[in-house]
Structures are given as structure tokens and as C-alpha cells.
């Protein structure tokens, strides 16, 4: 394995961690949709809450699980150690769903949280027998949200640069996970499809 390519793949896996993708997705939506008319302070506050709920809470929980030796690595590379972290992530997305409902967010944003929750539940069930890629599930969910904004004409500014960027990121993360031998082609493909379909279909309701 080429050391430089390994570092690049590890870096991509880190900056596009599943814990960060909801934050990226919501920020992209804030810049594309009707939300763009809101003051920057409001958009930053909204994105900050998404970060706290879907990244900080699970990250702290995983750190505690690691300290208690319930999981052997913070990266959760072993399939058998993923169930509890999946349940924690499910709770975080349930919290995000409640938060969006509480602030009376646009319906498509509420359903994005519902779609994210559904995709994690599916990952948890599949993970009992097979190691589906959570990185690609998260990347697929982000792409699904942006594609929904495009498909339903819910954008105020040109969304295609954001959509192209999301697709490139998904491909780059898939390549990184494959290069690091964390997943097979089937696992990354199913992960991306899971995240994309859950968000795209749920935001249609």
C-alpha cells in the first residue's frame, strides 16, 4: 500500500466522517434553499445545533465506549462492535428530528432527519449479518438531500455545483474506503444507495 495514498485515503475518511456529513448536508441546504435568505447568524446557529446533535453527542459516546473497552477502536472497524454506536446515532438523529420539528423547520428538512434516522436503523439491522458502509450511507444521504432540492425546485441559487461536489465527495470517500480495505465494492455501493434512497424518498412525503 502506497504510504501517500494511504494518508490521503485516511484524511478523506476523517474529514468526511459519518458524524460530520449531516452538518455538511444542512449547511449546503442552507446555502441553496429558501433558508439562504435568513441572517448568517441564524444559519450558523442552525448548523451548529446539527453539529452538536449528530457529531458531538455520538463522538463523546463512542469515546466513552472506547474507554470502557466496549469497542476496540474509535473507528468502529469491527462489525460486531457497531450495534451500540448505531443505537447512539439513532438517538442523535431522533434528537435532530425533534429539534427540526420544534423550530418549525421546512418540511423537507424535517424529513431529511427522518430519512437519516431510517438509514441508520437499516444499517443497524444489516450490520447484524453484514458490514455495510456507514461512510457511504452518510455521503449518499447528503447527495440525496441536495438532489431532492434540485428535483423539487426548492433552490434559490444554482444548486448544480453543490450537487456535483456531493457526487465527487461520495466517489472519493468510496475510493478511500476501498483503498483502505475497510469495505468491499458491494458494501460501499449498498451504503450509498441506502443513504440516498432513504433521504430522497422520505423528503418526497
Amino acid at each position: 500500500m502506497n504510504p501517500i495514498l494511504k494518508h490521503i485515503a485516511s484524511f478523506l475518511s476523517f474529514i468526511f466522517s459519518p458524524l460530520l456529513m449531516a452538518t455538511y448536508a444542512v449547511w449546503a441546504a442552507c446555502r441553496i434553499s429558501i433558508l439562504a435568505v435568513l441572517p448568517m447568524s441564524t444559519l450558523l446557529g442552525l448548523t451548529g445545533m446539527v453539529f452538536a446533535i449528530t457529531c458531538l453527542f455520538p463522538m463523546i459516546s463512542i469515546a466513552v465506549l472506547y474507554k470502557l473497552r466496549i469497542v476496540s477502536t474509535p473507528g468502529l472497524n469491527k462489525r460486531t462492535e457497531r450495534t451500540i454506536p448505531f443505537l447512539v446515532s439513532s438517538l442523535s438523529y431522533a434528537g435532530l428530528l425533534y429539534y427540526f420539528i420544534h423550530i418549525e423547520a421546512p418540511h423537507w428538512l424535517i424529513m431529511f432527519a427522518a430519512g437519516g434516522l431510517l438509514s441508520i436503523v437499516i444499517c443497524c439491522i444489516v450490520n447484524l449479518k453484514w458490514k455495510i458502509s456507514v461512510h457511504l450511507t452518510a455521503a449518499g444521504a447528503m447527495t440525496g438531500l441536495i438532489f431532492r432540492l434540485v428535483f423539487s425546485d426548492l433552490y434559490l441559487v444554482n444548486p448544480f455545483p453543490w450537487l456535483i461536489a456531493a457526487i465527487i465527495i461520495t466517489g472519493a470517500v468510496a475510493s478511500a474506503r476501498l483503498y483502505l480495505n475497510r469495505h468491499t465494492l458491494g458494501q460501499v455501493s449498498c451504503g450509498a444507495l441506502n443513504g440516498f434512497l432513504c433521504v430522497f424518498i422520505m423528503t418526497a412525503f
Side-chain angles (χ1 to χ4, degrees):
M1 184 178 290
N2 187 299
I4 296 177
L5 291 179
K6 181 180 179 180
H7 284 307
I8 293 173
S10 297
F11 177 72
L12 288 172
S13 294
F14 176 74
I15 63 170
F16 297 119
S17 162
L19 299 182
L20 292 169
M21 297 306 280
T23 303
Y24 296 154
V26 171
W27 178 250
C30 286
R31 306 307 298 162
I32 297 170
S33 71
I34 188 66
L35 296 176
V37 302
L38 295 174
M40 182 59 67
S41 58
T42 302
L43 298 182
L44 290 174
L46 173 65
T47 309
M49 281 299 297
V50 174
F51 176 78
I53 295 170
T54 63
C55 182
L56 287 184
F57 171 65
M59 185 171 62
I60 293 171
S61 301
I62 292 171
V64 171
L65 293 173
Y66 178 65
K67 287 294 183 181
L68 295 176
R69 297 184 180 180
I70 296 175
V71 298
S72 57
T73 62
L76 307 175
N77 294 323
K78 293 184 179 180
R79 179 184 62 80
T80 54
E81 296 178 351
R82 291 175 147 200
T83 301
I84 295 178
F86 275 143
L87 294 176
V88 170
S89 293
S90 297
L91 286 175
S92 72
Y93 271 84
L96 182 65
L97 178 60
Y98 172 79
Y99 171 67
F100 282 158
I101 293 173
H102 178 70
I103 65 171
E104 298 182 351
H107 187 69
W108 53 265
L109 193 56
I110 293 173
M111 296 312 290
F112 163 69
L117 175 59
L118 177 61
S119 71
I120 294 173
V121 171
I122 290 174
C123 281
C124 187
I125 295 171
V126 172
N127 184 73
L128 296 174
K129 294 293 183 180
W130 195 56
K131 188 184 177 185
I132 191 171
S133 175
V134 187
H135 272 81
L136 270 298
T137 295
M142 177 182 68
T143 305
L145 176 61
I146 298 174
F147 195 83
R148 167 56 62 194
L149 295 176
V150 174
F151 187 82
S152 301
D153 292 328
L154 293 170
Y155 54 89
L156 287 183
V157 299
N158 182 8
F160 291 102
W162 294 87
L163 180 60
I164 292 169
I167 293 172
I168 292 173
I169 288 170
T170 301
V173 174
S175 299
R177 303 309 287 170
L178 290 171
Y179 188 79
L180 293 171
N181 294 318
R182 295 288 187 261
H183 293 286
T184 65
L185 181 59
Q187 290 166 348
V188 297
S189 299
C190 289
L193 197 61
N194 174 36
F196 181 89
L197 290 179
C198 282
V199 168
F200 187 74
I201 292 173
M202 289 298 285
T203 50
F205 292 110

